[in-house]
Amino acid sequence: MHGTDTLTEADRLMTVCNSCRYCEGLCAVFPAMIMRQEFPDGDLNYLANLCHGCGACFYDCQFAPPHEFKVNVPKVMAQARAESYEAYAWPRAFSGLFARNGLAISIIAALSVAIFIFGFAVVNDPAVFFGVHTGPGSFYVLMPHNSMVVLFGAAFLYAIVASIMGARMFWRDIGEPASTLREPQSLWQAMKDAGKLRYLDGGGADCSADEDATPDHRRFYHHCTFYGFMLCFAATSVATLYHYLLGMVAPYPWYDAPVVLGTIGGIGLLIGPVGLLKAKLKRDPDMQDKERFGMDVAFLAMLFLTSLTGLALLFLRDTSAMGILLALHLGVVFSLFITMPYGKFVHGIYRFMALVRYARESHTTT
Amino acid sequence: MADLTKKYDVLVIGGGNAALCAALSARLEGASVLVLERAEKFYRGGNTRHTRNMRCAHDEATGTLTGPYPEDELFEDLLRVTEGETDEELARHMIHESKDMLNWIVEQGVRFQPPLAGTLGLGRTNSFFLGGGRAMLNALYNTAARIGVDVLYEAEVTSMDIEEGMFLSATAHIDGKDETIRAGALVAAAGGFESNIDWLKEYWGEAAENFLIRGTANNQGTILKMLLDKNVQQIGDPTQCHAVAIDARAPKYDGGIITRLDCVVFGIVVNKHSERFYDEGEDIWPKRYAIWGRLVAAQPDQIAYIVFDHDSLHRFMPSLFPPIKADTIGELAAVLEIPAETLEKTVTEFNGAVVDGTFDHTILDDCHTDGIEPAKTHWARRLETPPYYAYPVRPGITFTYLGTRVNKEARMIMDDGKLSANMFAAGEIMSGNVLGKGYAAGIGMTIGSVFGRIAGREAANNARN
Ligand SMILES: Cc1cc2nc3c(=O)[nH]c(=O)nc-3n(C[C@H](O)[C@H](O)[C@H](O)COP(=O)(O)OP(=O)(O)OC[C@H]3O[C@@H](n4cnc5c(N)ncnc54)[C@H](O)[C@@H]3O)c2cc1C
Ligand code: SF4
Ligand code: SF4
């Protein structure tokens, strides 16, 4: 007996696949499956999060629909994954945000942007809000640095706490001991596998949009997105160090580390999400979890907007548009932070942890 | 785009491994090629969709093969499984050509995987397709599209115009119309006749009604029949086929690999009268795997039950359907609807005859029975730990061996011994030339690829001259 219909179906599929095993060379999911004879809920959630949704096993499967066995691993794993995000959400009361995620995130983002603009307009004199400010400290004319740090620090901290709580739920659900997270070998292996998106390539054939193998370059676009995000994160971290350690105050000149990192990362964050969205639209609808379309798109849109508003701020910071752009950018970033634990962002955490478990399993069982 | 008004150099009938290898090879020789596949796109490639590996000779280990498998060794293996029922010259030729197949097929886009957990100890001799047979077919079809092979799906060939061993044209049912297609040469690669129950009945009688067909329903053998009717020489014993015992709950067609059961050695096998009928411990996989289809076919109603106890449940690879379960042997018989008292008696007698030994299912161990008929000569252990389980099994037909006689060029030979002017055959439709009986895992694909490649090349050259 399983907790949900999706898990019941996932169990059926794993039973089919386990008596076939033709896909064992494609990714980590099938070798992990082979280590098991039965599939309790926790293990299914583990396998679902281990699946990168590359689609190879769908086009390679002789039992895919219209065959009567109706084997569609990518789709069912995507559904199980999304349901697992909901189950692990912390606090529980917010798990409903996953249900109509696209709408929820749009509303939160819009509200957040509105509050920043409104706040700036109320706190500041219109002449300041729409004025031209240049040189170090010009952002802080509109919002004092300390309040910015407190507000964003709190939002960021919240995102981290909520994500950690979710991660704990996941780890407990799949029944993996905490000690695995202290194994350097497994962590390092998982970091390499995640960093390269090793399992998004269908065993080397690269992910494709259809059985005629039209490439959709999802791996490339995901790299743009992920590394773009990391560079932007690095830019913010360096800027924080500059501020507190070196007493250097933003905005920084174009050639300085925070700006260079942020610009390159920002470009990645423009190209990546657009490419991923394009690939998503092109992708075989039979393989997709259509109900979660909103969730996927919302996260891509948030990343794209974060970068777009950030870059716009960079290029127009010396004009009178700076005030409104700063409010926009901060509004988007703020909502990105607070919605992170309730959207597609969490896939990265659970996938990484699933890879850690897989690394542990594969070196202890062989 | 296929143009049915033009005369193609080479017409290929079929859409599996043999057909695609022939089409690619003919195209690479410069010929214009049309492939007519009866199935819709998803089901393209008949039984090839269900395969997993091929057996090719190689002189050294590679990234995907654990050690050398010399030509002679492959030939010895073939000789052993066929008990000599093979055309040595043709077989040796195929085996020689199989070596280069490992390169050629990779050039056509097919990818192999290194040996992993599920490769059944065949890691040295057999090359496993990454993602299985359908992945392999997708690769071949993609290459075919790229190099300009025309392919039509849902295009069943219904008749052929052949005069004195010379192919002139074929008629196919396409888009609701009968189209006549002319070509300079023919490659027949339309599989065997295992899905044609009426034809099977000619040799097996009513028993064939209870056979399950493991692959496509499309392999009706109509092309084979047309050729034999036009005086192409027949080869192979029509009763010979690869048949294994598969789960009786499997669909009539296309259940594929996941309905196979390999737990015979762990228990006893009884028929519908609850009686044992053959030594369950006779031989090691894969041979024992291949005899049980025929054994079950010979039992009343073509049904049997593998009965085992809890102790054996997790000792073999899982399969699609869960075993039927009951707390006592009597209750198990009731669920299976077979005589309960007889089953209890059969189990009691069997348990009483077991001579203890050291159980090891990977070798011919010393666990056997004494004083019962039939004996279980290895792996005999008492059925004594409840609950008890059973799998109902029926004969599952993999493929048939009756075919068209060919020479080393894959060219068909006519009844009068003459060579056909322009007709070639590859794959299951001519497998009987090298595989008179028995089976060695992976040899079906080798036959298809090697003779497909040869047939395509020869057909292209033939059409040009
Ligand atoms: C479950 C299963 C697993 C197997 N595993 C292996 C394995 O691992 N290794 C191995 O070597 N062998 C395996 N085999 C055997 C293997 O499938 C065959 O040997 C091989 O597929 C034969 O290839 P082929 O191209 O001759 O025929 P097929 O692949 O069966 O192709 C025949 C094609 O002809 C088409 N066709 C039929 N009639 C017509 C018509 N009138 N007009 C147009 N088209 C027509 C069919 O649609 C089909 O596409 C397996 C078989 C089964 C059932
Ligand atoms: S997805 Fe299909 S081909 Fe792959 S292991 Fe599962 S049943 Fe087999
Ligand atoms: S990662 Fe790709 S091949 Fe593996 S289960 Fe997911 S969709 Fe299938």
Side-chain angles (χ1 to χ4, degrees):
Chain A
M1 275 309 289
H2 291 285
T4 64
D5 290 350
T6 306
L7 291 174
T8 307
E9 174 65 359
D11 185 11
R12 183 185 76 88
L13 294 191
M14 287 298 99
T15 306
V16 173
C17 293
N18 214 11
S19 37
C20 168
R21 302 184 176 181
Y22 282 13
C23 291
E24 70 175 343
L26 296 179
C27 68
V29 174
F30 297 95
M33 166 194 85
I34 291 170
M35 296 173 201
R36 300 168 159 75
Q37 290 251 355
E38 269 143 27
F39 302 96
D41 286 359
D43 277 347
L44 291 169
N45 285 330
Y46 157 58
L47 294 173
N49 280 286
L50 193 56
C51 166
H52 289 45
C54 74
C57 65
F58 181 66
Y59 297 121
D60 292 354
C61 184
Q62 61 274 29
F63 306 121
H67 192 284
E68 64 186 284
F69 292 157
K70 296 205 171 22
V71 174
N72 189 337
V73 177
K75 179 174 181 169
V76 174
M77 289 306 186
Q79 286 168 335
R81 222 165 29 236
E83 287 173 19
S84 79
Y85 301 162
E86 212 168 310
Y88 306 139
W90 181 91
R92 289 288 303 150
F94 287 173
S95 67
L97 288 174
F98 278 103
R100 301 179 69 188
N101 196 254
L103 184 68
I105 299 227
S106 317
I107 293 176
I108 293 171
L111 275 177
S112 161
V113 168
I115 289 171
F116 270 91
I117 295 179
F118 184 73
F120 276 23
V122 170
V123 173
N124 296 303
D125 190 87
V128 178
F129 191 25
F130 295 110
V132 176
H133 313 274
T134 52
S138 58
F139 295 154
Y140 310 126
V141 174
L142 292 160
M143 184 171 182
H145 186 257
N146 284 343
S147 22
M148 227 188 252
V149 168
V150 167
L151 191 62
F152 282 84
F156 188 58
L157 208 65
Y158 177 78
I160 290 182
V161 170
S163 300
I164 289 177
M165 296 305 281
R168 281 182 46 163
M169 295 277 286
F170 173 64
W171 211 240
R172 210 171 290 164
D173 184 33
I174 67 173
E176 185 67 12
S179 57
T180 305
L181 288 172
R182 293 190 293 271
E183 277 177 28
Q185 187 188 356
S186 303
L187 285 173
W188 177 234
Q189 184 62 45
M191 272 159 80
K192 284 191 294 187
D193 294 345
K196 284 191 283 206
L197 291 175
R198 171 164 169 202
Y199 299 114
L200 193 60
D201 77 341
D206 217 339
C207 50
S208 55
D210 54 37
E211 69 185 332
D212 301 328
T214 323
D216 66 5
H217 310 295
R218 271 194 297 153
R219 192 142 75 139
F220 171 74
Y221 290 123
H222 193 287
H223 281 325
C224 288
T225 310
F226 176 72
Y227 290 105
F229 182 82
M230 293 313 265
L231 285 174
C232 290
F233 189 71
T236 314
S237 309
V238 172
T240 310
L241 293 179
Y242 273 16
H243 190 94
Y244 287 108
L245 291 184
L246 306 178
M248 290 164 62
V249 177
Y252 304 104
W254 68 267
Y255 50 80
D256 211 345
V259 181
V260 173
L261 292 172
T263 309
I264 301 175
I267 292 170
L269 265 188
L270 288 181
I271 300 173
V274 171
L276 287 173
L277 182 66
K278 232 177 63 193
K280 180 161 269 315
L281 294 173
K282 254 193 359 199
R283 203 164 145 79
D284 191 335
D286 292 342
M287 247 186 341
Q288 300 202 36
D289 175 12
K290 278 166 232 140
E291 283 172 38
R292 298 321 192 290
F293 187 74
M295 173 175 82
D296 298 352
V297 174
F299 186 52
L300 291 176
M302 287 302 291
L303 290 173
F304 181 81
L305 287 176
T306 302
S307 170
L308 188 72
T309 54
L311 289 175
L313 182 62
L314 175 68
F315 290 115
L316 301 174
R317 64 188 182 188
D318 292 340
T319 72
S320 60
M322 189 270 268
I324 193 96
L325 285 173
L326 184 65
L328 254 176
H329 185 57
L330 294 181
V332 171
V333 173
F334 187 77
S335 53
L336 177 72
F337 279 175
I338 58 169
T339 58
M340 263 182 178
Y342 312 108
K344 178 76 183 219
F345 168 78
V346 298
H347 83 280
I349 300 174
Y350 303 140
R351 172 111 2 108
F352 176 74
M353 297 179 78
L355 284 168
V356 176
R357 180 190 211 185
Y358 178 66
R360 198 275 299 154
E361 284 186 339
S362 20
H363 72 78
T364 48
T365 53
T366 50
Chain B
M1 272 305 286
D3 174 3
L4 299 182
T5 60
K6 83 174 187 194
K7 181 176 173 185
Y8 279 88
D9 292 334
V10 177
L11 172 67
V12 178
I13 305 177
N17 169 46
L20 266 285
C21 286
L24 289 168
S25 139
R27 183 77 193 115
L28 291 171
E29 293 289 323
S32 62
V33 182
L34 175 66
V35 173
L36 295 178
E37 160 63 304
R38 174 178 175 166
E40 60 183 278
K41 188 174 176 187
F42 171 79
Y43 284 106
R44 69 186 177 189
N47 282 358
T48 302
R49 301 174 74 251
H50 290 288
T51 66
R52 176 150 205 211
N53 59 68
M54 66 199 289
R55 183 182 286 259
C56 295
H58 46 276
D59 291 328
E60 50 201 58
T62 69
T64 54
L65 288 157
T66 55
Y69 188 38
E71 286 180 46
D72 282 339
E73 188 185 346
L74 206 172
F75 183 70
E76 293 301 319
D77 286 344
L78 187 65
L79 217 51
R80 199 162 32 81
V81 298
T82 58
E83 296 172 2
E85 300 273 329
T86 182
D87 175 331
E88 172 158 2
E89 195 195 350
L90 218 52
R92 284 202 183 270
H93 183 57
M94 175 186 88
I95 289 168
H96 180 70
E97 294 286 310
S98 78
K99 276 179 158 174
D100 189 44
M101 187 43 65
L102 289 177
N103 301 319
W104 188 80
I105 206 134
V106 169
E107 283 164 23
Q108 307 315 313
V110 172
R111 300 152 51 83
F112 293 117
Q113 65 161 64
L116 288 167
T119 47
L120 306 164
L122 293 169
R124 177 174 68 90
T125 54
N126 288 38
S127 299
F128 286 76
F129 307 124
L130 179 67
R134 190 172 166 223
M136 182 248 191
L137 279 166
N138 289 345
L140 294 181
Y141 274 97
N142 288 333
T143 304
R146 210 184 56 240
I147 67 175
V149 171
D150 290 341
V151 177
L152 288 177
Y153 300 108
E154 299 177 69
E156 180 188 354
V157 172
T158 50
S159 68
M160 285 191 276
D161 192 0
I162 296 169
E163 261 173 38
E164 293 180 19
M166 167 116 169
F167 171 83
L168 301 171
S169 70
T171 303
H173 202 67
I174 299 166
D175 277 342
K177 287 202 298 277
D178 280 334
E179 305 272 6
T180 301
I181 295 123
R182 292 167 307 131
L186 169 76
V187 178
F193 70 99
E194 63 277 353
S195 312
N196 192 330
I197 303 288
D198 286 336
W199 196 347
L200 290 172
K201 274 190 191 170
E202 286 179 26
Y203 314 112
W204 294 87
E206 282 307 307
E209 282 292 349
N210 285 325
F211 290 178
L212 300 173
I213 312 304
R214 304 175 70 206
T216 174
N218 284 330
N219 286 2
Q220 296 281 333
T222 50
I223 302 296
L224 173 60
K225 188 149 255 168
M226 285 172 214
L227 292 167
L228 297 181
D229 286 349
K230 295 287 181 180
N231 304 322
V232 175
Q233 210 179 107
Q234 168 177 326
I235 191 144
D237 175 349
T239 67
Q240 284 298 332
C241 59
H242 183 256
V244 297
I246 64 169
D247 200 305
R249 296 163 290 183
K252 182 79 183 168
Y253 292 102
D254 229 25
I257 194 74
I258 61 180
T259 60
R260 64 125 158 43
L261 291 165
D262 193 36
C263 49
V264 166
V265 296
F266 295 100
I268 59 171
V269 183
V270 300
N271 61 17
K272 71 175 244 191
H273 303 308
S274 299
E275 286 158 352
R276 291 177 59 239
F277 53 89
Y278 197 83
D279 176 2
E280 299 91 347
E282 188 183 58
D283 210 340
I284 301 209
W285 195 98
K287 192 164 169 215
R288 68 167 181 252
Y289 181 56
I291 59 172
W292 282 90
R294 287 174 164 271
L295 293 173
V296 176
Q299 291 304 308
D301 291 348
Q302 294 69 51
I303 185 119
Y305 305 89
I306 308 172
V307 179
F308 54 95
D309 70 357
H310 189 71
D311 198 40
S312 300
L313 186 62
H314 288 304
R315 290 182 184 266
F316 49 87
M317 194 163 144
S319 73
L320 178 62
F321 301 99
I324 293 161
K325 176 177 164 182
D327 288 330
T328 65
I329 292 289
E331 284 166 29
L332 188 65
V335 186
L336 299 175
E337 296 178 14
I338 59 175
E341 275 174 34
T342 324
L343 188 63
E344 281 166 351
K345 187 163 152 274
T346 301
V347 172
T348 312
E349 281 178 11
F350 174 79
N351 284 348
V354 169
V355 179
D356 288 314
T358 315
F359 182 80
D360 182 351
H361 72 94
T362 59
I363 55 165
L364 291 169
D365 72 2
D366 59 351
C367 301
H368 61 98
T369 59
D370 199 12
I372 49 165
E373 206 39 58
K376 183 172 178 183
T377 49
H378 304 282
W379 312 298
R381 291 190 312 158
R382 288 176 200 91
L383 277 66
E384 54 191 6
T385 318
Y388 299 95
Y389 300 90
Y391 284 110
V393 293
R394 283 197 189 281
I397 313 299
T398 320
F399 68 92
T400 49
Y401 297 169
L402 177 73
T404 59
R405 177 113 193 258
V406 297
N407 70 0
K408 272 162 63 175
E409 294 176 344
R411 190 184 289 269
M412 292 185 213
I413 300 175
M414 308 304 291
D415 277 334
D416 58 11
K418 290 209 184 90
L419 294 176
S420 160
N422 62 351
M423 301 197 295
F424 303 82
E428 210 173 296
I429 199 169
M430 48 64 68
S431 59
N433 287 273
V434 283
L435 199 64
K437 68 195 267 193
Y439 188 66
I443 204 81
M445 294 298 277
T446 312
I447 295 172
S449 298
V450 170
F451 284 104
R453 182 184 180 193
I454 296 172
R457 182 175 65 216
E458 297 299 329
N461 293 337
N462 203 89
R464 218 166 0 203
N465 297 332

